[in-house]
Amino acid sequence: MRFELSPELTQMREALRKFVRAELEPLEKGIDASGELPPQVLPLLGKHGYLAMRLPVEVGGAGMGLFPYCLMLEEFSRSHRIFGLIASGGGGLTPIAIARHGTPEQRHKYLTGLMKGTMRTAFALTEPAGGSDNSAMTTRADKVEGGWVIHGRKHYINGAHEADFIVVIAITDPVKRTRGGVTAFLVDRGTPGFNITRVDTTMGSDVIKLAEIELDNCKVPDSAVLGNAGQGFDLAKGSLRDGRMAVSCSCIGTADRMLEMSAQYAKTRVTFGKPLAERQAIQWMLADSEVDLVAARAMVYETLRQIDAGVDVGTAPSVCKLYCSEMVGRVADRAVQIHGGMGIVQGYPIERMYRDVRHYRIGEGSSEIQRMLIARDVLKRTS
Ligand SMILES: Cc1cc2nc3c(=O)[nH]c(=O)nc-3n(C[C@H](O)[C@H](O)[C@H](O)COP(=O)(O)OP(=O)(O)OC[C@H]3O[C@@H](n4cnc5c(N)ncnc54)[C@H](O)[C@@H]3O)c2cc1C
């Protein structure tokens, strides 16, 4: 089933697919072998304008809506997962928060480099005491003359070890806590008291790394506050809607590529004198993955269309994120099965994608948290 997109979005998807095939797919093997992102990739994305799509025109961005941005992530995610991750870090949620809430100095200092791909950022909310339950966080910032002193520890922060600056979320009013007592700080790499104490590789490709950060007497100036003091939790939560839609589209992109590869393989692999594609058992797996993908696209594209039209979509992003992150796991499992031994041999994309997609059910709010939010909404609606 094909979805009718507007002529602009159709044209954009075609250009993106060409770009991904020509520029990104050839890098996949090297990235897996080295566990490193080639340094030219971010500036290349910047050069093509992919890191500035959602930023307002007045700061040099393209001022596009969430739908085109998510379509870009879908296409990038047909290749290596890292491309979607760096595009959503540099090109997405943190820059938008800076564009919306930053001072003119902060915009000037950070946005140009982020849009060009010469600067990297990370977002540090999760910590040992507060994962799904962010309200249990203990990292705090105390007001001092001319600035703030941050103490605490953050972990599982994607890309923090390579970031030029990090958005750190900390408690600034221990009484109000998440009800107006949390602040976001822009902390530059090299600030005394800011240390990366551990870098973990994750299940999936080695290039995706999560860092632990120690903030020990880390003094930042007043000018490091993003938005108003006390607004940090709203700022972090404010990006959740877009983050969930971004993950949903990334899942769709990876699932689409795996289905395409499975169909191609099934046509060429002959067993017992016939291609796999002629076996009903294999056809049913392809059909089930197609149905999964059609359902995912239907809910995601409609939600994106409504968001860009200014509709309050409620818990729809949770519905999309939950469905898509579980859908891509099912599609990956079938893709491995169809590829047989080739599906589990390292060095082939299917094996890497199978491992890579597992974390979609944990990051940006786990499946359990999405179910909790959706159920809460259902119960409220029916009372
Ligand atoms: C690839 C990846 C990248 C990430 N990048 C970042 C980043 O850049 N910045 C950042 O701040 N964080 C990041 N995270 C952290 C992520 O947001 C957390 O891992 C997530 O919020 C879950 O927190 P936790 O790991 O502490 O699990 P926990 O909160 O300890 O949960 C453990 C399990 O219990 C379940 N659970 C928790 N509470 C309930 C409940 N009330 N009812 C039922 N089940 C429950 C959870 O769903 C989960 O299955 C990243 C995570 C991943 C996997």
Side-chain angles (χ1 to χ4, degrees):
M1 184 174 169
R2 294 279 146 239
F3 285 85
E4 276 300 315
L5 296 175
S6 67
E8 298 77 36
L9 287 179
T10 306
Q11 208 179 12
M12 199 189 100
R13 189 201 279 280
E14 279 165 14
L16 274 162
R17 195 157 293 190
K18 269 192 206 146
F19 173 79
V20 169
R21 288 217 169 113
E23 305 284 353
L24 302 186
E25 283 180 15
L27 303 174
E28 288 176 14
K29 266 199 166 171
I31 291 174
D32 280 336
S34 66
E36 299 296 333
L37 181 73
Q40 74 272 20
V41 175
L42 255 184
L44 181 71
L45 301 189
K47 194 177 114 194
H48 284 265
Y50 294 136
L51 301 177
M53 278 173 67
R54 282 215 71 209
L55 287 170
V57 178
E58 55 272 23
V59 299
M64 290 185 176
L66 191 61
F67 203 156
Y69 168 76
C70 284
L71 211 57
M72 171 187 75
L73 295 183
E74 181 185 323
E75 291 302 318
F76 282 5
S77 301
R78 287 176 55 82
S79 182
H80 202 291
R81 158 129 184 79
I82 188 68
F83 300 130
L85 261 183
I86 58 168
S88 61
L93 310 176
T94 296
I96 285 166
I98 295 174
R100 279 190 193 144
H101 306 283
T103 61
E105 292 73 29
Q106 288 169 341
R107 290 186 196 160
H108 176 73
K109 182 173 173 187
Y110 299 113
L111 289 183
T112 308
L114 288 174
M115 285 190 284
K116 281 190 179 163
T118 53
M119 198 176 236
R120 294 184 73 164
T121 184
F123 190 84
L125 173 64
T126 305
E127 53 185 76
S132 302
D133 179 11
N134 299 131
S135 66
M137 76 172 88
T138 58
T139 297
R140 69 171 209 277
D142 301 325
K143 186 77 189 87
V144 293
E145 181 70 32
W148 299 78
V149 176
I150 313 176
H151 305 268
R153 187 176 293 277
K154 298 283 179 182
H155 72 173
Y156 305 154
I157 310 306
N158 179 48
H161 60 299
E162 292 170 327
D164 298 284
F165 74 98
I166 288 113
V167 180
V168 175
I169 307 292
I171 291 173
T172 44
D173 183 332
V175 177
K176 289 186 183 161
R177 295 184 64 84
T178 50
R179 293 198 172 85
V182 168
T183 300
F185 296 92
L186 300 168
V187 182
D188 291 331
R189 182 192 194 80
T191 304
F194 176 96
N195 299 302
I196 300 289
T197 43
R198 187 185 159 119
V199 180
D200 289 307
T201 49
T202 58
M203 183 172 149
S205 174
D206 281 354
V207 72
I208 297 169
K209 297 182 175 76
L210 304 183
E212 182 185 70
I213 302 168
E214 183 191 65
L215 297 133
D216 179 15
N217 229 4
C218 176
K219 183 165 182 202
V220 293
D222 282 323
S223 59
V225 172
L226 178 59
N228 298 321
Q231 206 191 10
F233 207 61
D234 295 340
L235 202 140
K237 296 270 167 199
S239 69
L240 288 181
R241 181 198 71 180
D242 295 3
R244 285 171 187 158
M245 296 313 295
V247 168
S248 301
C249 283
S250 301
C251 294
I252 290 175
T254 308
D256 196 52
R257 171 110 181 263
M258 285 191 290
L259 177 58
E260 190 179 283
M261 290 172 77
S262 301
Q264 282 162 350
Y265 186 72
K267 283 192 227 171
T268 55
R269 174 68 176 162
V270 174
T271 67
F272 302 97
K274 274 189 184 176
L276 289 177
E278 291 183 27
R279 309 287 177 187
Q280 191 182 53
I282 303 296
Q283 289 174 0
W284 284 18
M285 283 193 260
L286 295 173
D288 286 346
S289 290
E290 170 72 358
V291 173
D292 270 339
L293 257 165
V294 168
R297 280 204 169 100
M299 68 175 79
V300 168
Y301 288 2
E302 175 57 15
T303 304
L304 288 169
R305 197 190 58 72
Q306 290 188 18
I307 289 173
D308 280 348
V311 176
D312 177 0
V313 293
T315 52
S318 290
V319 173
C320 293
K321 198 269 173 179
L322 173 63
Y323 184 82
C324 291
S325 60
E326 303 210 334
M327 171 283 293
V328 74
R330 294 193 292 272
V331 173
D333 192 66
R334 293 181 200 117
V336 168
Q337 200 64 20
I338 291 170
H339 281 79
M342 194 179 280
I344 54 166
V345 171
Q346 287 192 352
Y348 288 98
I350 291 290
E351 183 272 344
R352 185 234 317 144
M353 287 170 160
Y354 177 82
R355 286 182 287 116
D356 259 351
V357 300
R358 182 60 181 86
H359 69 87
Y360 282 126
R361 285 157 59 189
I362 297 169
E364 278 309 324
S366 64
S367 288
E368 290 72 25
I369 298 304
Q370 306 305 337
R371 284 192 168 89
M372 198 169 88
L373 296 169
I374 297 163
R376 200 180 280 164
D377 182 53
V378 171
L379 292 169
K380 200 166 96 188
R381 214 170 59 212
T382 50
S383 64

